[in-house]
Amino acid sequence: MAWVVDTCLLIDVAEADPAFGVASAALLDAKRPEGLTICPVTYAELAPVFDGDAAAQNEFLTNLGVDWTEGWTLKDTVAAHGAWHRYVVGKRAGRIPKRPVADVLIGAFAGLHDGLHTRNGGDFRTVFPTLRLTAP
């Protein structure tokens, strides 16, 4: 299996973020031997970073050792369905702050893998309490 990489870490590295870029790159470098992949949602979220240039984005991901070709499956859909329900119930009860649907989709995808590398673990923990998380 592989670890799923959250979009924020890839943006940190691509943009050489002064606060997070080095730490995010170090985490990815350390975890590369275990396997790294991204959710198809992350692939779409990265488009603006590369001005919509898919070839440049693909080269970036390949150079980082991140698999970007894994497709969305029926298992991902079922996991996302349950996660979105939990999120909406929690939000309506005032227990969960507003989150974009992309986070729920990425979390569901990561739940079917080894876990998620992110620096926004708290955002995922509320909907995915058992999801394995690592941070830079």
Side-chain angles (χ1 to χ4, degrees):
M1 193 71 48
W3 283 83
V4 175
V5 180
D6 193 12
T7 312
C8 62
L9 298 184
L10 296 169
I11 293 172
D12 292 347
V13 174
E15 295 183 345
D17 183 274
F20 302 108
V22 171
S24 293
L27 174 65
L28 297 179
D29 189 47
K31 297 297 186 173
R32 188 175 299 112
E34 298 175 43
L36 301 172
T37 191
I38 60 171
C39 176
V41 173
T42 294
Y43 188 85
E45 285 185 318
L46 285 174
V49 175
F50 295 92
D51 295 322
D53 183 343
Q57 182 173 318
N58 297 348
E59 181 178 0
F60 168 77
L61 293 168
T62 298
N63 289 340
L64 278 180
V66 176
D67 178 21
W68 50 271
T69 63
E70 188 170 342
W72 189 264
T73 68
L74 178 58
K75 282 185 175 182
D76 297 313
T77 299
V78 171
H81 179 270
W84 187 249
H85 172 72
R86 288 190 305 278
Y87 164 76
V88 170
V89 168
K91 184 168 178 338
R92 287 179 181 162
R95 295 187 316 265
I96 298 176
K98 185 176 182 179
R99 297 297 317 146
V101 69
D103 284 358
V104 175
L105 298 173
I106 292 167
F109 190 82
L112 298 172
H113 288 76
D114 290 335
L116 181 68
H117 298 312
T118 183
R119 61 179 165 78
N120 302 318
D123 295 340
F124 290 92
R125 184 62 61 217
T126 55
V127 179
F128 304 98
T130 62
L131 181 63
R132 290 177 61 197
L133 300 169
T134 62

